[in-house]
């Protein structure tokens, strides 16, 4: 499946789920915090804020979706990283898009909501 040539409604739903996962602010912050390489949960908590349990939950979601990979780190820690180089490309492209058209994006209505 490719997003540019979505063959079916099911393909479109899978692609939309990817973007819904990226649309959650904490998960997006975690992904961008991983752009420079592996980090532990404690490092990610410091980078994005929040409670360790919440960050761990978001990381589990991202891992289950195949966006983040993990491996044992020093001691009892776990190191998290982006699961695929294409995700880094996507996040960098989004950053460029926001730089080019950020103002209209900030005015965009919430999905399913009314635009004022």
């Amino acid at each position: 499946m490719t997003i540019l040539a979505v063959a079916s409604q099911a393909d479109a739903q899978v692609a939309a789920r990817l973007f819904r996962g990226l649309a959650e602010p904490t998960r997006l912050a975690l992904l961008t915090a991983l752009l420079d390489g592996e980090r532990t949960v404690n490092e990610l908590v410091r980078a994005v804020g929040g409670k360790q349990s919440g960050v761990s939950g978001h990381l589990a979601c991202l891992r289950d979706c195949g966006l983040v990979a993990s491996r044992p780190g020093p001691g009892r820690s776990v190191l998290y990283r982006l699961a695929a180089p294409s995700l880094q490309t996507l996040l960098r492209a989004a950053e460029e898009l926001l730089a080019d058209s950020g103002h209209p994006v900030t005015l965009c209505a919430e999905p399913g909501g009314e635009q004022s």
Side-chain angles (χ1 to χ4, degrees):
M1 179 196 73
T2 68
I3 291 177
L4 297 178
V6 174
S8 68
Q9 183 64 24
D11 288 345
Q13 288 176 351
V14 170
R17 280 189 171 184
L18 167 69
F19 287 104
R20 275 196 302 269
L22 295 173
E24 201 289 322
T26 301
R27 288 194 293 268
L28 184 58
L30 288 167
L31 292 171
T32 58
L34 293 170
L35 281 171
D36 294 327
E38 293 181 316
R39 292 187 176 203
T40 65
V41 171
N42 288 335
E43 291 169 332
L44 290 166
V45 167
R46 285 192 296 274
V48 304
K51 296 181 179 179
Q52 183 174 344
S53 61
V55 168
S56 292
H58 284 297
L59 287 167
C61 174
L62 291 167
R63 190 178 56 234
D64 291 346
C65 293
L67 299 175
V68 167
S70 63
R71 69 178 179 88
R76 293 179 35 164
S77 67
V78 175
L79 292 168
Y80 291 89
R81 67 184 179 284
L82 297 179
S86 55
L87 182 55
Q88 185 175 33
T89 303
L90 175 66
L91 293 170
R92 298 270 187 224
E95 186 175 57
E96 265 185 57
L97 179 61
L98 284 172
D100 291 346
S101 63
H103 184 70
V105 171
T106 61
L107 297 177
C108 185
E110 287 291 319
E114 294 298 316
Q115 191 164 357
S116 11

